[in-house]
Amino acid sequence: MSISGKVDPVVRPVAATDIAEALVEGLRDFQALPLYGLCFGALYAGGGIAIMLCLTAFGMVYLVYPLAAGFALIGPFVAIGLYEVSRRRERGEPVSFGAIWSAIRSRSEIGWMAFVTLFVFVIWMYQVRLLIALLLGLNASFSNLQEFMTVVLTTNEGLLFLAIGNAVGAALSLILFSLTVVSFPLLLDREVDFVTAMVTSVRAVVTSPLPMIGWAAVIVMLLIVSALPYFLGLVVTLPVLGHATWHLYRRLVVPVP
């Protein structure tokens, strides 16, 4: 039983073929309703561009790379509108921005999951700044991204910063992925509390560790590569991954009879 007194969702194992099929179905959803996918993708990319411009304006351009790497952390939160698009298409219900917003707004527990996601993202950015202070100097400052990358790739301190930063980032990404891969779709689909949603999500990852870690790696790599050309690749990548996540959720969690 969950903390809300309801029966916990039933989780079932998945294989690599399920992930491949979910990706195909996600691509079909995007092709069927491209407007919604492009809008949410543009919103995600626009947020990345806005943050990048702010960092540049404040002379913190060296945080652009960590931002691009950590931006994948908040993808599940931004993609929640895409889950609703797939859910409505699956049920044959009409799709509109108003209907999507109403569905999301009616699920108060989604706000708590959003807080968890943003909290981990803030931790990621703070630990990057801490590592820069500890390994590259307390008052380290770089005039441009090229200067920062030169220091990181050609000095012992920079290589240590890169190794530790990527290790910590991988750990945070795996933790947040385990907490959210099923949580957001589940909260949108059923009346459950956010703690139960997170527990169910972790159970889903533990039940199928290798396929799910593989799915996490695919998501992170695609989002990072898509973010490199000024975040513009995210306009297409995010919707496909978002729709695919919904279909993978359908395979991971047994539907309510």
Side-chain angles (χ1 to χ4, degrees), residues 163-244:
I164 296 176
N166 285 334
V168 173
L172 286 176
S173 297
L174 182 58
I175 291 171
L176 190 61
F177 170 80
S178 299
L179 293 174
T180 61
V181 64
V182 165
S183 297
F184 282 110
L186 180 59
L187 288 172
L188 196 61
D189 191 38
R190 305 185 194 179
E191 291 285 352
V192 298
D193 57 88
F194 81 101
V195 175
T196 299
M198 288 192 294
V199 171
T200 304
S201 188
V202 172
R203 285 170 50 217
V205 174
V206 172
T207 301
S208 307
L210 291 181
M212 294 306 291
I213 290 176
W215 176 234
V218 169
I219 291 175
V220 171
M221 286 190 294
L222 286 178
L223 290 182
I224 290 177
V225 171
S226 301
L228 293 180
Y230 299 99
F231 296 91
L232 296 179
L234 297 172
V235 175
V236 173
T237 304
L238 178 76
V240 174
L241 291 176
H243 291 309

Side-chain angles (χ1 to χ4, degrees), residues 77-255:
F77 168 49
V78 181
I80 192 167
L82 298 166
Y83 306 153
E84 178 62 14
V85 172
S86 291
R87 187 176 78 95
R88 286 181 169 272
R89 182 168 183 262
E90 182 182 276
R91 297 185 177 189
E93 298 176 358
V95 181
S96 68
F97 286 108
I100 294 171
W101 173 245
S102 297
I104 296 174
R105 190 175 57 179
S106 66
R107 299 288 195 265
S108 59
E109 295 291 318
I110 289 177
W112 289 106
M113 277 308 307
F115 174 78
V116 171
T117 302
L118 294 176
F119 180 71
V120 174
F121 179 70
V122 170
I123 290 177
W124 160 249
M125 295 304 294
Y126 266 104
Q127 69 87 22
V128 169
R129 192 65 187 93
L130 177 62
L131 287 176
I132 290 176
L134 292 175
L135 299 176
L136 303 183
L138 187 61
N139 298 313
S141 180
F142 307 92
S143 58
N144 54 59
L145 184 59
Q146 182 178 357
E147 181 183 343
F148 171 70
M149 295 304 296
T150 300
V151 172
V152 168
L153 297 175
T154 61
T155 66
N156 292 334
E157 294 81 2
L159 292 173
L160 183 61
F161 162 78
L162 197 62
I164 296 176
N166 285 334
V168 173
L172 286 176
S173 297
L174 182 58
I175 291 171
L176 190 61
F177 170 80
S178 299
L179 293 174
T180 61
V181 64
V182 165
S183 297
F184 282 110
L186 180 59
L187 288 172
L188 196 61
D189 191 38
R190 305 185 194 179
E191 291 285 352
V192 298
D193 57 88
F194 81 101
V195 175
T196 299
M198 288 192 294
V199 171
T200 304
S201 188
V202 172
R203 285 170 50 217
V205 174
V206 172
T207 301
S208 307
L210 291 181
M212 294 306 291
I213 290 176
W215 176 234
V218 169
I219 291 175
V220 171
M221 286 190 294
L222 286 178
L223 290 182
I224 290 177
V225 171
S226 301
L228 293 180
Y230 299 99
F231 296 91
L232 296 179
L234 297 172
V235 175
V236 173
T237 304
L238 178 76
V240 174
L241 291 176
H243 291 309
T245 298
W246 170 263
H247 292 289
L248 184 58
Y249 154 74
R250 281 301 197 200
R251 287 170 164 77
L252 285 164
V253 180
V254 177

